[in-house]
Amino acid sequence: MPQKLLKAAAFTAVFLFLFVHLSYCKRGNLSYTRKNISGYYALRRNSLDVVFIGTSGTFSSFIPMQAWKDCGFASYNFCVNMMGANTIPYAVTEAMKSQKPKVLVIDIYPFITGEMIGNIGDSYTRYNTDGFKYSLNRFLLIKNEVMRAQDLTESPLSYFADIIKWHANDLTPGNFFCCMPNVDRGYNAMIWGKVSRPGKTDEAKTLSPDLEACLTKLLDKCARLDCQVLFVFYPFADTYKYPDALANVNYIGNKVREAGFAFRNFCAEWDEFGLDVDRDYWDPAHFNIYGAEKVTARIAPRLSEAYSLPDHRGERAYRDWDADYETWKNNEAEYKADIEGRIRNGL
């Protein structure tokens, strides 16, 4: 009898291993999300100094490889397309499993848009779930935040076992362990568009009860972390889609400071970034590479100085960063050539 149980246990273990990892191979691209998150899993454990948490605006704002060149600290954008405000605590948990950064930088933009996973449709919700490895954290994210939604049309089981959704896809063997190195370190280049500069206000407006509860949960989560936490709002442009955006930013900033955390509203410092509304954006909430360079050039040295971040350039353990920077320079040139072509052609 024990021998039969042992065989059954071994079979089950092998089956679950193959099921999980073949699921990773079948997953859809999920826009930039899969590349970003699987690239994070591929990093050497506890090798990051700064982790950025946020949405698509976040991964268009900061260039980790530029920060590496200029300051020498290791950073990564742990971001998904359209992160929901209620996802952020789970994203923090996921990011901190394999890294112990000195600083965690959290973009509050999802609180401004008011988007909550489970209530933004199946495709956007999957940005927040299907990039993560199977784990208790992912299970709880789906159980607590997705399953109570009313507007999802796909099978609930397909969120827990996403191979049901992606089974018809071709296999991508390189993603067997959900770990695919990402030279851009979570930065994603946007294209080009014209925007209007942001306004200003000293007014502070409260959030909806649901968003207020999400913010409280996030602050409680951060209070238990063994690292510095900085909340930010990037110098995004015209916020015409969200008329109370800047007043909401002020309110969130007050709540964050009251909880004992640092907060920077970079939108209020917009003039100091030297941004050009005709060249540096894709849309009001996303920068192209020219804008991201300016944002990074201002923020990276301030992070390095404020948090006494180490300079790893030339260290043996970070040789891959030095090597990947050479590849990054080629990517950077391609991103800029694309933008210049679009500007010439008015695209």
Side-chain angles (χ1 to χ4, degrees):
M1 186 67 175
Q3 188 175 12
K4 289 184 178 180
L5 287 175
L6 185 61
K7 289 181 178 179
F11 173 83
T12 302
V14 171
F15 172 80
L16 289 175
F17 177 85
L18 291 175
F19 175 82
V20 166
H21 293 285
L22 288 174
S23 294
Y24 299 155
C25 293
K26 283 284 190 174
R27 282 180 175 175
N29 283 331
L30 300 165
S31 188
Y32 296 110
T33 292
R34 178 179 172 185
K35 173 185 172 185
N36 288 357
I37 304 303
S38 64
Y40 189 87
Y41 291 137
L43 294 168
R44 179 168 55 86
R45 290 184 67 86
N46 302 328
S47 61
L48 293 178
D49 303 302
V50 184
V51 173
F52 294 82
I53 302 282
T55 189
S56 58
T58 313
F59 65 52
S60 80
S61 300
F62 192 86
I63 306 175
M65 275 302 180
Q66 181 181 331
W68 171 260
K69 169 183 169 290
D70 294 343
C71 301
F73 63 80
S75 60
Y76 198 100
N77 296 330
F78 187 91
C79 303
V80 307
N81 297 65
M82 196 175 285
M83 181 175 284
N86 52 341
T87 307
I88 300 178
Y90 300 90
V92 169
T93 296
E94 197 68 21
M96 298 295 282
K97 284 180 182 178
S98 58
Q99 298 293 333
K100 294 181 179 179
K102 292 180 177 292
V103 189
L104 189 68
V105 182
I106 299 177
D107 182 3
I108 65 165
Y109 192 78
F111 289 94
I112 305 308
T113 64
E115 287 153 348
M116 308 272 279
I117 67 160
N119 297 320
I120 51 179
D122 292 282
S123 60
Y124 289 133
T125 294
R126 286 191 180 278
Y127 288 145
N128 294 259
T129 60
D130 290 12
F132 289 6
K133 286 185 177 182
Y134 286 130
S135 67
L136 177 61
N137 182 54
R138 182 180 183 273
F139 174 86
L140 292 175
L141 169 62
I142 297 169
K143 175 181 177 292
N144 296 340
E145 308 299 341
V146 179
M147 290 299 100
R148 64 184 181 184
Q150 303 297 317
D151 65 343
L152 299 179
T153 60
E154 295 178 350
S155 162
L157 183 59
S158 71
Y159 281 92
F160 292 106
D162 55 39
I163 196 170
I164 297 172
K165 166 72 175 179
W166 307 114
H167 69 277
N169 288 355
D170 292 334
L171 286 171
T172 53
N175 204 38
F176 187 74
F177 291 103
C178 202
C179 299
M180 298 177 69
N182 181 354
V183 167
D184 292 354
R185 301 300 196 269
Y187 168 73
N188 291 284
M190 302 288 101
I191 53 178
W192 170 70
K194 294 185 177 183
V195 298
S196 300
R197 63 174 296 156
K200 294 182 179 180
T201 184
D202 293 325
E203 186 180 6
K205 283 194 174 182
T206 59
L207 302 173
S208 69
D210 285 345
L211 288 173
E212 186 77 31
C214 286
L215 181 58
T216 299
K217 181 178 180 179
L218 176 59
L219 293 172
D220 289 344
K221 172 74 179 177
C222 290
R224 299 191 296 273
L225 297 177
D226 185 22
C227 70
Q228 298 291 315
V229 183
L230 170 65
F231 290 80
V232 302
F233 186 71
Y234 286 100
F236 296 129
D238 179 19
T239 52
Y240 66 91
K241 287 185 178 180
Y242 311 102
D244 294 330
L246 297 179
N248 290 149
V249 170
N250 291 337
Y251 174 79
I252 294 170
N254 292 338
K255 295 285 288 186
V256 166
R257 294 188 186 99
E258 288 172 5
F261 299 105
F263 177 79
R264 293 305 296 263
N265 178 7
F266 292 123
C267 199
E269 306 171 21
W270 192 87
D271 289 329
E272 300 173 32
F273 283 81
L275 291 161
D276 184 341
V277 294
D278 292 331
R279 285 185 61 88
D280 294 341
Y281 289 84
W282 171 38
D283 67 10
H286 299 85
F287 299 94
N288 61 39
I289 190 166
Y290 291 122
E293 283 182 334
K294 292 178 179 179
V295 172
T296 306
R298 181 162 177 80
I299 293 178
R302 296 170 76 175
L303 285 173
S304 183
E305 181 178 357
Y307 297 101
S308 301
L309 299 178
D311 184 348
H312 298 295
R313 289 171 294 187
E315 291 184 11
R316 184 179 182 84
Y318 287 84
R319 285 183 301 181
D320 57 326
W321 285 75
D322 287 323
D324 286 347
Y325 178 73
E326 298 304 312
T327 304
W328 156 254
K329 288 194 297 185
N330 294 329
N331 294 351
E332 179 186 35
E334 291 179 7
Y335 299 149
K336 289 183 176 180
D338 178 54
I339 296 297
E340 291 302 326
R342 290 175 182 278
I343 291 175
R344 283 195 304 271
N345 295 314
L347 297 177

